[in-house]
Amino acid sequence: MELNSAIWGDETHQILQSSEYSNHVTVSDVIPDIYTYYNTIGMNESIDNSIALWQIGDDSWFNHQLFLRRDGNNVIQKNERTTVNAKSIWLCVPITYNTAQNIHFNPTQYQCNLWDAGSTSSYYNQPNANLRGIITGFDYNRLVLRHRLCCKLYNSETGIHSGNTRFFSTYEYFNGVDSSDNIPYREKYCVESLTCVVGTSKGDTEIFPYQISMNIPLNDPKNITESARIYTNTMYNTPSPANNYYKSTYQYYAQSNDVIGLQRTGRSSIPQQSVFADNTSFYIDGFASDKWVLDEFRDGSTDYIATRFTGTYDDIMRQLAFFGFWFVDNDTFGNTITAITGRNCNSEHVCLPEIIGGRTTGNYKRGVVAGADPQATWGNNWRDSVGYTGDKPYKNAQNDTGDLSSVFNRTFIGGSCKYYTMIGTDLRDLVSAINSGYQPTNNDQFVLDFKGSNPADYISSCLYYPDGFTCADRSTDNIALKIGALELAVTAHEADINAENIVSFSPVTIPALFGDFRDYSPYTSLDLYIPFCGSVELDPAVFVGHTLQVYLFIDFPTGNCAGVVMRDSLVYDTVNGTCGVSIPLTAQNVGQYQNAIKSAEIALKQAEMQRKTAWLAAAGSGATLIAGVATANPLAIAGGIGGLAGSAINVERANLSVESAEYNLSHTAPSVRSLSTASPANALQMDYDCHLIIKRATMSDGYDETIYSHTIGNACAINDVLSTFHGLTVCADADLTGIPCTADEKQQIMQMLKSGVYF
Amino acid sequence: MLIQLLRTDSDNRNALKTYETLKTILGIFPTGSVDILNPVFIVDYDENILSCNYLYCDTTNRFYYVSPPVLIDGRRIELHCTCDVLMSWRANLMECHATVARRERHNSDTGGTLIQDSKMPINSKNVYLDGVRLPLIPNSNYRNYFIAIQGG
């Protein structure tokens, strides 16, 4: 998109990137469980030096530098330091940037007015600590958000800050490390959260930004009985990943103490542990920030300095607008601004600052009005390379690009099967393994291996595909096949049926032979033969002069296929067919074995029952025994034997039954299904290419196209001036206006035109 | 009045005829009533103009077909003329708009070619067959057997 200079001003020559590093943190530098940064530009990728850097559209660099946090599947902007009930004004586009190279800063010079060159503190004696010049005049074109990194030991488990404050500067800007604690700098520019906090003026200790004490929502001005205050504050995430300890224990709070034109307020003294030595008083001036002051406050034993603005609701909103970022006045949005700025711009709480010619005016728009503003819609040309999880530009579903991956969405409905590809020898090995290679040690082993099922039932399908129509392999690893619980020595490759198993045929452009109606139906017909599918008739009006391409989609588990006919990049027709040849499984029915087992088991139980009964019966009285035996024992011999003798016989017979059952069990040979390969089906013998038969009309003998055209003329229906025609011209009608001839002549002319004239 | 005695071999339907000039005669003037569309010119005998079949008159600004000359007394020739409306009004005619139902096609012509032409002698018995092969673009897999195993 072209830069709208009316909004963003002219291009600047600022370069927001150092020569060595990209201007933001890569995701890998960040502890995943705390924050996640989103990069927009890859390493060493320079940003073009246009004002576009500053724009606020969805794809702006600024927007991508949002201080984001992953919350489940959402990305939210959140100040981790706030409490649950914290209410604050959040700027939707907390962008950091780095010092533009054309803005001078002297590495040997402390930041004016904020650092005392004579300070003895080791922290800010670092020659490059927080080095920035002060720029006066709030010029959006040269918006510089500076920050000073201060940190304090933070126990993430207890939530307690303790220890001394450490102040560091970003490595990008400065050289040097705070060697006293050996806390490494951030390697790159930090993603900052420009957070404005509104709080009541109850004293310094209450209004430390990161502790957020505001409890009066700004969007309800009537609740603000006192002057509200907003602070700027920036927060850093953890430093360089080199030191995990520090990453987990330190949280760094960068403070933006320098907005364009910001100057420090006068302070007569700085507490001992303050990082600043105050010498003179300054006031923020410039285009937008004449009311911002530096403010100090202490948290425990630590002093912090932030810039502070005091004013009414309208004043505060105006000041926020001067920053040039999206901003909200609603605490809900303040805590849960989803994704990139502007996503919720339909809300009346979301405000878009007015920018004219690269300068903010302090005015702003809300809600849907803001969302419709051209300023909100401008986008940069480049896209994120890492981490951007904003809404991806969606492809216009109306446009069929012809890209197969978009036209044909292949999905895989998973099942309980695994799929393999095999060569012929593999399959024969499988057959052999099952037919003769498998030798269970006993019947129980067989049942154990196959869980009582027919081993062949584990094989859902076995199909043959001819060369060129085979399934791709997921990998070339040889995987041992498992039939049930039985692992065979036979190997195969795992098939990749999710792959783009699309069989392609070379495209062909169908030419027009006559260049007229004879190239179309009914004078020309197109018949397309697709292997395994058969023939399909094509409409010449669709294909003549266009490219015909055929694809074959194969459903490998079933052997079915679908031929897809495409004209240029559009799917025109489909035809179904069968490509795979099922390999028939001829086998003995192992179920018989199962049944034999079952029967034997039943018989055994019966025999045991009989034996028990017989013994029980024998233990009773003689008479009863006999009677009992005679009654209960199915093996009772007719006529009975009587007495114990009969019982003994019955028992004997019961034992025989058991033995018989055992005999049956041991002599029932396990059967397996055997596999055999079938000879290829006839379809496999046919040509594997597609064939297009073009049937065209012919002309009668003696026909000469030139003479015909000259004497009879070719049919047409053209409306034009007669000067465009050459040779024989036969008119259906004409408008003879403009010929100053007699009526008789006009009549003659018309008659001649209708019968044909030569021009 | 000037007339040009011409000879043309162009088709009568030709709006741009070619001709050769046989004789230009000046000093023609009407001797009686004149039918502008079908005038009769009387000229002196000249055997060179006996093949005249076309005529142009500047006064009427028209071209005329000339019937075979009639030799009359006085060593004169009568030229009976019929107006050629196409040639006479060609310039104006070319600027007229028309709906053309048939035309003589040239290679450079585009459009208007898909109208079915019922006069075109298409052979109803013979057809021309053209076979076009779309070769298979084979993949590099040569594992022909596909097997699905439950559980696996």
Side-chain angles (χ1 to χ4, degrees):
Chain A
M1 298 179 67
E2 291 187 3
L3 178 64
N4 187 337
S5 60
I7 296 176
W8 307 108
D10 296 330
E11 288 193 5
T12 74
H13 41 273
Q14 291 192 9
I15 301 174
L16 294 193
Q17 180 180 346
S18 72
S19 59
E20 293 182 336
Y21 300 93
S22 66
N23 65 329
H24 44 269
V25 182
T26 56
V27 176
S28 60
D29 289 343
V30 178
I31 299 177
D33 60 344
I34 299 181
Y35 298 106
T36 301
Y37 290 124
Y38 286 80
N39 273 340
T40 58
I41 306 173
M43 287 295 295
N44 299 322
E45 179 180 345
S46 62
I47 309 170
D48 66 275
N49 41 340
S50 73
I51 191 60
L53 294 169
W54 309 103
Q55 67 89 23
I56 310 176
D58 280 352
D59 289 326
S60 72
W61 175 78
F62 267 152
N63 276 338
H64 292 293
Q65 293 286 3
L66 193 66
F67 186 73
L68 301 172
R69 176 167 173 260
R70 189 186 300 278
D71 182 7
N73 292 324
N74 299 318
V75 173
I76 62 175
Q77 173 195 342
K78 189 170 182 177
N79 180 355
E80 197 65 12
R81 311 305 300 145
T82 61
T83 62
V84 174
N85 296 321
K87 294 179 174 55
S88 59
I89 297 176
W90 293 88
L91 291 187
C92 300
V93 188
I95 294 297
T96 193
Y97 80 108
N98 68 335
T99 304
Q101 287 185 353
N102 70 333
I103 295 179
H104 167 77
F105 70 91
N106 188 339
T108 63
Q109 181 180 359
Y110 292 117
Q111 182 170 5
C112 307
N113 309 316
L114 294 179
W115 294 89
D116 181 2
S119 171
T120 58
S121 168
S122 62
Y123 301 135
Y124 37 89
N125 258 349
Q126 295 298 320
N128 294 319
N130 198 20
L131 301 180
R132 294 184 178 94
I134 288 197
I135 298 177
T136 58
F138 195 102
D139 185 343
Y140 194 61
N141 279 334
R142 292 186 292 277
L143 176 62
V144 176
L145 286 183
R146 304 178 184 176
H147 53 267
R148 176 171 59 85
L149 177 64
C150 59
C151 71
K152 190 173 183 182
L153 185 65
Y154 168 69
N155 187 321
S156 58
E157 294 181 359
T158 63
I160 296 175
H161 293 80
S162 62
N164 294 325
T165 300
R166 302 286 182 260
F167 291 90
F168 304 94
S169 52
T170 55
Y171 182 80
E172 279 295 290
Y173 306 156
F174 316 112
N175 298 321
V177 176
D178 181 358
S179 58
S180 62
D181 286 356
N182 198 31
I183 297 177
Y185 288 169
R186 294 174 61 80
E187 290 183 0
K188 303 174 183 58
Y189 306 133
C190 306
V191 174
E192 295 171 306
S193 170
L194 186 63
T195 305
C196 284
V197 178
V198 176
T200 57
S201 55
K202 294 183 180 179
D204 292 344
T205 58
E206 190 172 341
I207 316 179
F208 184 66
Y210 79 91
Q211 286 187 337
I212 297 297
S213 61
M214 174 189 170
N215 54 13
I216 299 177
L218 184 63
N219 62 333
D220 190 1
K222 69 178 185 296
N223 292 330
I224 300 177
T225 58
E226 313 174 6
S227 295
R229 288 180 174 181
I230 52 176
Y231 287 85
T232 60
N233 188 24
T234 54
M235 289 184 58
Y236 283 100
N237 197 11
T238 57
S240 157
N243 191 324
N244 287 327
Y245 168 74
Y246 292 108
K247 284 199 298 183
S248 63
T249 58
Y250 280 82
Q251 297 228 356
Y252 293 85
Y253 310 92
Q255 291 185 329
S256 169
N257 53 17
D258 202 331
V259 181
I260 298 291
L262 169 67
Q263 293 177 339
R264 191 164 53 102
T265 57
R267 284 281 180 176
S268 60
S269 66
I270 299 292
Q272 183 64 31
Q273 292 182 324
S274 165
V275 296
F276 297 117
D278 174 44
N279 289 324
T280 60
S281 299
F282 296 87
Y283 289 91
I284 298 171
D285 60 5
F287 196 85
S289 305
D290 56 346
K291 293 185 180 178
W292 288 86
V293 298
L294 271 180
D295 203 353
E296 265 186 71
F297 31 78
R298 178 176 294 243
D299 169 44
S301 59
T302 304
D303 289 291
Y304 297 90
I305 296 181
T307 54
R308 173 172 62 83
F309 170 79
T310 303
T312 62
Y313 171 83
D314 288 336
D315 290 339
I316 291 177
M317 294 295 284
R318 180 172 174 81
Q319 286 301 315
L320 292 178
F322 273 124
F323 280 104
F325 303 114
W326 289 89
F327 60 98
V328 294
D329 67 352
N330 179 281
D331 56 344
T332 300
F333 280 105
N335 284 323
T336 57
I337 300 172
T338 56
I340 306 302
T341 294
R343 297 282 179 201
N344 295 308
C345 61
N346 287 335
S347 166
E348 290 303 305
H349 294 293
V350 179
C351 306
L352 173 69
E354 181 183 53
I355 302 175
I356 298 177
R359 292 173 180 265
T360 54
T361 64
N363 300 321
Y364 57 92
K365 296 177 182 178
R366 292 177 179 268
V368 292
V369 177
D373 192 288
Q375 181 179 327
T377 59
W378 190 90
N380 212 327
N381 290 325
W382 42 263
R383 290 288 181 268
D384 287 333
S385 60
V386 178
Y388 175 45
T389 60
D391 292 347
K392 295 288 190 296
Y394 64 93
K395 187 185 306 181
N396 186 342
Q398 302 299 320
N399 294 332
D400 189 346
T401 63
D403 177 18
L404 280 185
S405 63
S406 65
V407 174
F408 303 120
N409 292 317
R410 290 180 65 83
T411 59
F412 169 50
I413 301 174
S416 62
C417 287
K418 280 196 172 178
Y419 303 100
Y420 302 95
T421 64
M422 307 176 80
I423 56 177
T425 52
D426 292 337
L427 189 62
R428 281 190 282 277
D429 291 343
L430 176 63
V431 172
S432 299
I434 294 180
N435 281 345
S436 57
Y438 171 71
Q439 295 293 339
T441 55
N442 51 52
N443 300 326
D444 290 340
Q445 182 64 41
F446 176 83
V447 175
L448 192 64
D449 286 340
F450 294 102
K451 301 294 187 287
S453 298
N454 189 331
D457 288 342
Y458 283 89
I459 301 174
S460 300
S461 61
C462 181
L463 298 116
Y464 172 86
Y465 291 93
D467 291 344
F469 300 89
T470 54
C471 183
D473 294 341
R474 186 182 298 277
S475 78
T476 56
D477 295 339
N478 290 320
I479 300 173
L481 298 182
K482 283 182 65 177
I483 305 292
L486 182 67
E487 183 163 324
L488 305 177
V490 182
T491 62
H493 293 177
E494 188 178 356
D496 188 3
I497 67 172
N498 293 329
E500 293 292 329
N501 282 312
I502 303 174
V503 177
S504 304
F505 299 88
S506 294
V508 64
T509 299
I510 301 175
L513 177 63
F514 301 101
D516 56 31
F517 68 97
R518 290 171 290 178
D519 289 318
Y520 304 94
S521 180
Y523 306 100
T524 295
S525 65
L526 304 174
D527 287 289
L528 175 68
Y529 166 76
I530 303 174
F532 307 109
C533 298
S535 294
V536 58
E537 188 172 350
L538 306 179
D539 185 354
V542 175
F543 286 91
V544 169
H546 294 273
T547 300
L548 165 67
Q549 182 142 27
V550 182
Y551 296 94
L552 199 65
F553 278 62
I554 302 176
D555 184 9
F556 287 98
T558 63
N560 297 326
C561 65
V564 178
V565 180
M566 296 185 72
R567 185 200 93 156
D568 298 328
S569 59
L570 300 177
V571 175
Y572 175 73
D573 201 355
T574 59
V575 58
N576 295 324
T578 303
C579 180
V581 177
S582 179
I583 305 299
L585 303 176
T586 59
Q588 301 175 30
N589 189 358
V590 175
Q592 295 174 351
Y593 177 72
Q594 293 174 294
N595 291 338
I597 294 176
K598 283 284 188 274
S599 299
E601 287 176 342
I602 294 174
L604 180 60
K605 288 196 185 312
Q606 287 177 340
E608 287 178 344
M609 190 171 64
Q610 292 160 11
R611 184 163 58 184
K612 283 182 184 175
T613 305
W615 282 115
L616 286 173
S621 62
T624 306
L625 181 63
I626 295 174
V629 169
T631 303
N633 188 350
L635 298 179
I637 300 174
I641 299 177
L644 203 55
S647 301
I649 291 176
N650 292 336
V651 168
E652 184 63 24
R653 289 192 183 281
N655 283 335
L656 285 176
S657 296
V658 172
E659 289 171 357
S660 174
E662 288 179 347
Y663 177 85
N664 289 336
L665 280 172
S666 64
H667 284 81
T668 302
S671 301
V672 296
R673 296 176 72 173
S674 61
L675 303 178
S676 63
T677 56
S679 57
N682 288 336
L684 301 180
Q685 302 301 324
M686 298 180 68
D687 198 350
Y688 293 159
D689 297 334
C690 289
H691 291 269
L692 176 67
I693 304 299
I694 306 176
K695 184 173 67 177
R696 300 189 189 272
T698 59
M699 308 306 292
S700 297
D701 293 340
Y703 170 81
D704 182 283
E705 183 153 340
T706 303
I707 296 175
Y708 177 88
S709 182
H710 183 68
T711 57
I712 304 297
N714 298 95
C716 62
I718 302 176
N719 307 305
D720 209 339
V721 291
L722 291 173
S723 59
T724 61
F725 297 92
H726 305 278
L728 178 65
T729 305
V730 181
C731 298
D733 208 337
D735 180 1
L736 300 183
T737 301
I739 304 179
C741 60
T742 66
D744 289 341
E745 287 174 301
K746 280 193 177 176
Q747 189 176 4
Q748 287 186 40
I749 291 172
M750 183 62 77
Q751 288 175 346
M752 298 198 73
L753 288 176
K754 290 186 175 182
S755 64
V757 297
Y758 290 94
F759 287 112
Chain B
M1 185 182 293
L2 176 149
I3 60 172
Q4 287 182 309
L5 303 181
L6 312 168
R7 183 168 61 202
T8 181
D9 58 359
S10 297
D11 190 296
N12 288 350
R13 295 170 294 177
N14 202 324
L16 182 61
K17 294 180 174 64
T18 59
Y19 50 83
E20 60 173 320
T21 304
L22 299 178
K23 189 173 184 178
T24 300
I25 300 176
L26 300 171
I28 303 292
F29 53 87
T31 60
S33 60
V34 176
D35 182 354
I36 291 179
L37 297 182
N38 302 284
V40 177
F41 296 96
I42 299 175
V43 298
D44 291 335
Y45 175 84
D46 184 345
E47 64 181 9
N48 293 325
I49 64 172
L50 294 178
S51 62
C52 169
N53 63 1
Y54 205 59
L55 184 146
Y56 172 74
C57 175
D58 69 337
T59 302
T60 61
N61 194 25
R62 285 174 169 78
F63 287 85
Y64 298 93
Y65 298 107
V66 179
S67 300
V70 176
L71 300 176
I72 61 174
D73 61 323
R75 293 173 60 79
R76 297 176 298 177
I77 297 176
E78 277 188 355
L79 301 172
H80 294 257
C81 301
T82 305
C83 179
D84 179 1
V85 294
L86 287 180
M87 193 66 174
S88 299
W89 301 106
R90 178 178 175 278
N92 304 94
L93 179 63
M94 298 305 282
E95 301 306 314
C96 293
H97 289 84
T99 298
V100 175
R102 287 186 172 275
R103 64 164 176 173
E104 183 171 348
R105 270 181 61 190
H106 304 271
N107 290 334
S108 60
D109 288 335
T110 58
T113 61
L114 301 180
I115 306 294
Q116 286 210 17
D117 188 346
S118 58
K119 294 186 178 181
M120 193 170 284
I122 296 176
N123 193 320
S124 60
K125 288 187 178 180
N126 297 330
V127 294
Y128 172 71
L129 291 181
D130 188 9
V132 180
R133 180 185 291 261
L134 288 74
L136 169 70
I137 302 176
N139 56 27
S140 57
N141 301 325
Y142 296 104
R143 301 175 67 83
N144 300 102
Y145 293 91
F146 180 92
I147 188 167
I149 300 177
Q150 289 186 13

